Each structure stands twice: as C-alpha cells, then as structure tokens.
Amino acid sequence: MGRAGGRADRPLGADLASRFCLAHPERVAAMLLLCGPFVGEWRTADRAERGRRMTAPQQARLHELQQLPHRTEQQEVELLTLSWFTDHADPERGRHWAAQGARSRRPVNWTMNRELGAEGRKEPLVRRLGELRARLPAQVEILGGGDDPRPLSALASLAVRLGVPLTRIDGAGHEPWLERPDEVRGHLRRFVRGAVGL
C-alpha cells in the first residue's frame, strides 16, 4: 500500500516489503501483505474497472489535467482526487477520502514515482516469486479488498504461487482500513498475536 505519485497503478508498500524480504530474509519475522503486491498482467483489468467507475466527463477531465505541463494547487488536488476515488468500493465516500488524501498526502513525489516504476520494470517481482517463496518467514498472509479495482484474482494467483493464504475483505477497495476499519483491525490483531505467539 502507499502512493508515491498521482496514478494509483503502482502498488508500492507490499512490493517494497516483498523486495526487502528477498534481500534481508533474516530480518523478517512475519509479513502481512495488504492489497498487494500485484504482479503479472493486472493493469488491463484495473484500467477497465476504473473506467467503469468514472463518468465520461470525469475521464475527460482527468486526461485534460494529466496533459497540463504545469498545474496549479487546485488542479493538482483535482487530478489526485480523480485518480484516487476509484480505489474505493463506495464512490461517494471514495470521492471524500480521495479529496482528503489529495490535500494531505502532499507533495506528491512524481520523480520518485517514475524512478520506482522504471526500477520495477527492469526487475519485475514476478520473475523472483520462486526465490521469494523460499525466503518467506513462517507466517505470511495476503489481505485484499474484494472491490479493489485491481483484480482480486491476481492476488489469488499470487497466493497460490507463494503458498500463502489470501483473506478477502468484502465491501472494501484498495484502502480497506477506511471502508472496513473494524474488520481490518480484527485481522491485524489476529495476525500480530499469531506472529508473537499470543
């Protein structure tokens, strides 16, 4: 989870956690992968679902803002809101959360976003899943929102390849802690207790 840029098509947190585990498995006692990492060809389905969740005027406005060489503060907030609200299962609350995030998760580091994207394309995580599986700690789980525009089937496939369980949170998108806070809190507590042996 986490964002380094205005497009929500580069899941970062779970990807970085997986890469850290590859590099330093001795320093990872347990790992809960929240809404990622997404590997392989998942972007086509993601783009299609995002398009379905947006009106034609919203899509046109987003494209217009993306093409601007420079944006005002208000235009930047509008761009991020339009980019992020489709992450949520509930579009009305999604617009509210996206607008809040567009104002608080600032400034967006566009340069880092591009650099991370380029690095990920040079060495895709999907090529190292066998190695990752061998280096995983004993307790690993993937948690995914059932209404994330990114296809849950991609996480299901990843769970099979890594040999770890996938827990689906229905009625939640890419930030399930906002849409289903009690359920996510319960999963986190269960996972942590299991990790520390309580």
Side-chain angles (χ1 to χ4, degrees):
M1 60 185 171
R3 295 185 176 106
R7 275 294 297 151
D9 61 356
R10 295 185 180 93
L12 296 173
D15 185 90
L16 292 175
S18 299
R19 292 178 187 275
F20 183 86
C21 186
L22 278 167
H24 306 284
E26 74 285 354
R27 298 177 64 182
V28 182
M31 189 160 61
L32 178 63
L33 297 168
L34 187 54
C35 300
F38 285 85
V39 298
E41 178 41 58
W42 57 271
R43 288 180 173 82
T44 299
D46 174 56
R47 283 192 292 267
E49 180 58 24
R50 288 182 187 281
R52 190 188 68 79
R53 296 182 186 192
M54 298 180 76
T55 65
Q58 285 172 334
Q59 294 181 46
R61 179 58 176 162
L62 177 59
H63 179 73
E64 179 185 354
L65 291 168
Q66 289 170 333
Q67 301 309 306
L68 293 176
H70 303 286
R71 288 184 289 272
T72 66
E73 173 70 12
Q74 184 177 352
Q75 288 170 335
E76 186 80 352
V77 168
E78 185 182 5
L79 173 111
L80 296 175
T81 301
L82 287 170
S83 296
W84 291 346
F85 87 90
T86 53
D87 274 342
H88 305 283
D90 183 326
E92 290 303 318
R93 292 195 300 167
R95 276 189 281 274
H96 170 71
W97 286 319
Q100 280 188 329
R103 291 182 173 87
S104 63
R105 300 178 188 180
R106 303 292 300 284
V108 168
N109 193 331
W110 297 101
T111 301
M112 184 180 75
N113 192 52
R114 287 191 294 270
E115 290 175 354
L116 287 172
E119 286 296 316
R121 288 188 291 274
K122 282 197 301 186
E123 189 178 4
L125 185 62
V126 69
R127 295 180 184 172
R128 303 187 67 186
L129 293 183
E131 184 182 358
L132 177 60
R133 178 170 181 161
R135 296 187 178 194
L136 289 175
Q139 185 170 353
V140 181
E141 185 176 339
I142 301 174
L143 205 63
D147 293 304
D148 193 333
R150 301 155 186 78
L152 191 69
S153 59
L155 288 184
S157 175
L158 176 67
V160 170
R161 294 181 70 174
L162 294 180
V164 303
L166 167 66
T167 298
R168 169 184 177 136
I169 300 180
D170 290 317
H174 195 61
E175 296 181 328
W177 56 92
L178 291 176
E179 294 184 280
R180 292 290 183 269
D182 292 339
E183 192 170 345
V184 171
R185 188 180 298 113
H187 284 300
L188 288 174
R189 286 176 174 167
R190 170 187 54 78
F191 185 84
V192 171
R193 285 172 181 154
V196 300
L198 293 178

